[in-house]
Amino acid sequence: MKSTCVERRAEKLCLATGMAWTDALKRVKSLPPKSPLVPEAHPSQAVLESYVLSGLAWPSVDTRNPWGIRSVIPRPGSIALTFENDVVQSLASESMAKELIRDLVPSFDEYGDVRGIPGARFTPDNDGVHVQRIGMPGSLSILGISAEDWSTALTLQMEEDKSSGRHYCHELSPGRWHRSETPFREPTTDTVLGRHHYRKKPSAWLASGLLRRAPLLRTIGLPLSTTAWTNLTDDGGTKWIIEYINVPLTEAPCYHQGFTNLLTDPECGLPIIGTNLDCSCGQPPEHYWGCRFYARSSTGQPGALQVRFSRRSGDRAQSYEAELNDYETRRKLYQPIPAYLTHPHAEAHRQPAPIQPL
């Protein structure tokens, strides 16, 4: 167990972001005591990160880590995401790089349908793939994928898309917004597609906050798959629903308690408060339908959150163990939470205990 306040803060930062211990300890020592460990993104940066999470939300490739993200380095005006690039896909032509290109690099078709992040341009070099929206603040670094892998995947994806009439914006307009992207620089609600882009902004704080803490999901259990989708809320925002299918690796009565504690922690969590918890942890596997945690902003910002802890156990878990070649590798990704962070009243500065299961 970590013995000092600095070490405990560094441990929280490691769990939330996947950051290496030495880097986390260095970061914590540079911060004022009890200050937020994961900085909030500036508004334009938050919108950029909202596009990223929206693109990755329902992966079409297999990933071990949540959305393929190993670790995160967040700053107010930038973010660095280290992705896995070593998972063998069922289709040899697929890869994490192609998934990112397909979901994030802006493209358009003959009907004007725009996919990806409008205005974003991707520049690969020896340090990673750097992303910026032309003329707008904020930046993203994609780490873990080499420039060679990125370029190869981009060529393959562009060839596939051209056969269906889709083109990439940077081909015709590398230094400025392509005419197909321009309407979404300041999106309006005049069209269905415009409304889709317009709705990114009100709850960008939530999408950004979730992306910045993606590795925290690994504290729930052995990761099998992570998906997400959105619904609209009455306050003009977006409700994010995250489903984390996992195998619990702890015998705690409420095995996801540590996750919800850290997700609402005043030092490393989101500015949210739990509103409900449907917990079935005491049910036998054959009667288990999955626990759900509900939350909303603690500061009145638009949007809401639902996290589904869809556990697999018994016979339902054995099928995954038999089918996944990398099952043991996934097991090693699980990050146990120390007891002092698992119990609601572990620290004097904690928020009130989370709501109890129904």
Side-chain angles (χ1 to χ4, degrees), residues 56-59 66-67 217 225-229 240-245:
L56 299 176
W58 198 280
W67 301 299
L217 288 163
S225 71
T226 309
T227 53
W229 61 96
W240 276 93
I241 300 100
I242 297 175
E243 182 168 34
Y244 188 73
I245 300 178

Side-chain angles (χ1 to χ4, degrees), residues 147-313:
E148 181 181 2
D149 286 349
W150 181 267
S151 298
T152 299
L154 181 61
T155 299
L156 290 172
Q157 190 60 48
M158 288 173 65
E159 289 176 354
E160 291 178 15
D161 283 338
K162 280 182 179 178
S163 64
S164 60
R166 179 166 290 277
H167 301 275
Y168 283 80
C169 299
H170 68 269
E171 292 181 275
L172 301 175
S173 187
R176 65 182 189 279
W177 288 58
H178 186 266
R179 64 177 181 274
S180 65
E181 302 172 285
T182 304
F184 311 117
R185 184 166 189 165
E186 292 292 338
T188 65
T189 58
D190 295 339
T191 65
V192 173
L193 191 57
R195 287 193 291 273
H196 169 74
H197 290 267
Y198 181 85
R199 288 167 180 155
K200 296 287 183 190
K201 189 173 182 179
S203 298
W205 68 272
L206 178 56
S208 168
L210 293 170
L211 184 70
R212 290 175 169 233
R213 296 164 178 82
L216 185 60
L217 288 163
R218 299 184 310 206
T219 64
I220 299 170
L222 183 154
L224 297 175
S225 71
T226 309
T227 53
W229 61 96
T230 59
N231 291 328
L232 300 180
T233 53
D234 293 338
D235 58 8
T238 297
K239 179 180 182 179
W240 276 93
I241 300 100
I242 297 175
E243 182 168 34
Y244 188 73
I245 300 178
N246 68 95
V247 177
L249 295 179
T250 178
E251 298 299 326
C254 190
Y255 80 102
H256 43 70
Q257 180 72 68
F259 169 81
T260 54
N261 282 354
L262 287 179
L263 192 65
T264 57
D265 184 86
E267 292 186 329
C268 75
L270 280 162
I272 58 174
I273 54 174
T275 58
N276 202 356
L277 176 64
D278 296 331
C279 185
S280 303
C281 284
Q283 298 290 333
E286 61 269 21
H287 298 300
Y288 177 80
W289 294 102
C291 306
R292 297 183 181 185
F293 170 73
Y294 302 83
R296 59 176 172 79
S297 169
S298 59
T299 59
Q301 298 186 82
L305 173 66
Q306 178 189 138
V307 183
R308 300 183 177 185
F309 310 103
S310 299
R311 77 169 183 247
R312 299 292 182 262
S313 57

